[in-house]
Amino acid sequence: MTLVYLHTSNGMSKSAFEAVTYAKKLGNEVIVLTAGNADANTLATLGSFGAQKVIVNRAIDGSDEQQVSTWVCNHAANAENILFLHDVAGKAIAPRVSVRLKAGLVAGAVALPEMDQTIKVNVFSGKAFGFVKVNSQKRIISLLANSIAPEKIAEVCPVEEVNETIESSGIKILSTKKPEGNIPLPEAELVVSAGRGLKGPENWGIIDDLASALGAATACSRPVSDIGWRPHHEHVGQTGIAIRPNLYIAIGISGAIQHLAGVNGSKVIVVVNTDKEAPFFKAADYGVLGDAFEVIPRLTEAVKRFKLNQ
Amino acid sequence: MKTLVCISKAPDTTSKIAFTNNNTAFDEAGVQYIVNPYDEWYALVRALEIKESVGGEVTIVTVGPNEDDAIMRKALAIGADKAVRIDANPKDAYFVATQIATYAKTIGFDMVLTGKETINYNGSQVAGMIAESLGFPLISLASKLDVEGTTLTLEREAANGVEVVSVNAPIVVSCAKGMAEQRIPNMRGIMAARTKPLEVIPPAACDDLTTFATFGSPLAKSEVKMIDPNNMDELVALLHNEAKVI
Ligand SMILES: Cc1cc2nc3c(=O)[nH]c(=O)nc-3n(C[C@H](O)[C@H](O)[C@H](O)COP(=O)(O)OP(=O)(O)OC[C@H]3O[C@@H](n4cnc5c(N)ncnc54)[C@H](O)[C@@H]3O)c2cc1C
Ligand SMILES: Nc1ncnc2c1ncn2[C@@H]1O[C@H](COP(=O)(O)O)[C@@H](O)[C@H]1O
């Protein structure tokens, strides 16, 4: 059996469907565990991607990872594989489960197991990859978002609601600050990002326009967030966040190695820059040599025309 | 606060990433090592600031071979009080966490701080594993940490934004951007670091839960396709028909 734990308190994300698809492809029966108050009809949709059953624990809300780990371990006796997403929740829970069950963890898997049962992960900030072998009987995997396409194969599945109380770790949540952007950057499939080439914060209108025409999230280079032109949570790169969207459009960013470290997992990269020697062009799929202030409004118009004809 | 900061090394980002021994090991030839930025800029500096405001002691620990003394001396120069090196090659996150937890149990710390991840293997695993081994709560991906008595107030990344949480010591915290600003060691710090204690202890027995079987380098990107800046309709068409991303 493959056990999948998903954090669903903030709604069902595409990556949840990816995780269930991945679990199904491991070959065995798939049981999903989740906590909190997501409604049963929404949870039942996980069946469409191959889950046999969803068990939701209404007695815990999923915010206390120590509590969640205990609960997952309580259900793990017959599981050969235990799958998490390599997201905020998975990064805190999977290592605990690994220690408790003495089962090897493959953190940040980007593909299904190979013939020899090793699993591919990114290493060195995406500059290389490695294949990890698990030596224990049980195997724990945390899956990086955007690594597998969700496949709808069935209809909804039963949802079992349980009330299993588990001792709390003592963490008290005082408040939550919601992010400012509409689309959380780590989950965005399309990202429009800009750097010092934009000259000043007052010029970000053209970036926002392009992002909203595409339905993309916005990001920036480190100097731009350091000098306060953009909020810190938009900073991508080695010291910011690492993202791997389907499309990354880099505007007025030189492409320093520390910046590339956070974005080179993107499927397709478009670079707009006035300098034909900018290192970013070497990492790009499509390049536009030109002034952002002319090119970007033109691109936004082209995107709008394209959307109208869809 | 009696604080333990976990310090690992990371190849300088300009290092060439290559593999040796039939692609089973990282090729260290010519690689310059630095202190993993998350460990240095965020975990260590915040630990020092807390010590400066409420008192206590900051110990750093590294699981690694004797070459790692160089990065430990750098962390001592920034201001840590003493260093402990567990003398073993870090095999995987479970191995590292087991070593650190075994040592931490013998001393008893109020806080164990790690970086959010190492920039070489990017696992984000060690902190959670230490927390489980010690039976402590973990605050993962924290961007703020304040101490009042034995109560800690932290901000951490959550699925729906940033959460402000409160918890009692002892705890484990993995530290991310926002926690503190980089500190450059001064001459006095560098001199003092030479005489600060650096203890070397043997590793504890530990199971081998995972192994890196092989490594590889991503296929080189194909040549960039340049688009006429006056023809953005062409770019949009390519993104739709060829790249299939919009
Ligand atoms: C330890 C360390 C960690 C770091 N971590 C990060 C990180 O996480 N993320 C990060 O981003 N950086 C990081 N950096 C900084 C990094 O090295 C670069 O300095 C930074 O990425 C450069 O930002 P930029 O490309 O916006 O600015 P610049 O390098 O100034 O580049 C601006 C670019 O805009 C172009 N341009 C100018 N005008 C226009 C125009 N009108 N239209 C189009 N293009 C134009 C220029 O040709 C140039 O290529 C780190 C550095 C260090 C030392
Ligand atoms: N060999 C090591 N010695 C000491 N601490 C380490 C070591 N490896 C990792 N860590 C700590 O664990 C954190 C997370 O590492 P990782 O789980 O490998 O991404 C790092 O930022 C360090 O604080």
Side-chain angles (χ1 to χ4, degrees), chain B residues 61-127:
Chain B
V61 63
T62 296
V63 181
N66 52 4
E67 295 90 88
D68 291 6
D69 286 355
I71 62 142
M72 302 193 78
R73 290 281 173 214
K74 179 162 182 222
L76 288 169
I78 296 170
D81 297 301
K82 57 181 177 186
V84 174
R85 182 167 59 77
I86 302 171
D87 192 19
N89 271 313
K91 279 190 238 152
D92 67 358
Y94 180 73
F95 180 86
V96 169
T98 303
Q99 301 309 328
I100 294 174
T102 306
Y103 164 72
K105 268 182 212 157
T106 65
I107 307 291
F109 290 95
D110 302 312
M111 290 198 300
V112 179
L113 305 190
T114 76
K116 110 172 177 182
E117 65 185 19
T118 41
I119 58 174
N120 38 5
Y121 299 113
N122 306 99
S124 290
Q125 306 176 57
V126 168

Side-chain angles (χ1 to χ4, degrees), chain A residues 194-199 220-224 235-241 251-260 272-275 278-279 290-293, chain B residues 13 34 37 41:
Chain A
R196 218 151 41 180
L198 267 267
K199 313 274 187 303
C220 68
S221 68
R222 176 165 149 214
V224 161
H235 159 196
V236 294
Q238 181 199 310
T239 44
I241 54 172
I251 302 157
I253 303 177
S254 57
I257 188 148
Q258 297 90 351
H259 184 87
L260 293 180
V272 179
N273 202 299
T274 43
D275 175 9
D291 186 338
F293 298 102
Chain B
T13 40
I34 55 169
W41 301 6

Side-chain angles (χ1 to χ4, degrees), chain A residues 38-55:
Chain A
D39 78 86
N41 289 336
T42 309
L43 294 175
T45 60
L46 292 169
S48 318
F49 299 87
Q52 189 108 356
K53 178 167 80 173
V54 177
I55 304 174

Side-chain angles (χ1 to χ4, degrees), chain A residues 124 177 235 238 286 298, chain B residues 13 120 132 162 177 229 242:
Chain A
F124 295 97
K177 304 178 189 171
H235 159 196
Q238 181 199 310
Y286 302 101
R298 230 176 264 153
Chain B
T13 40
N120 38 5
E132 186 63 30
V162 173
K177 188 182 154 101
E242 187 179 80

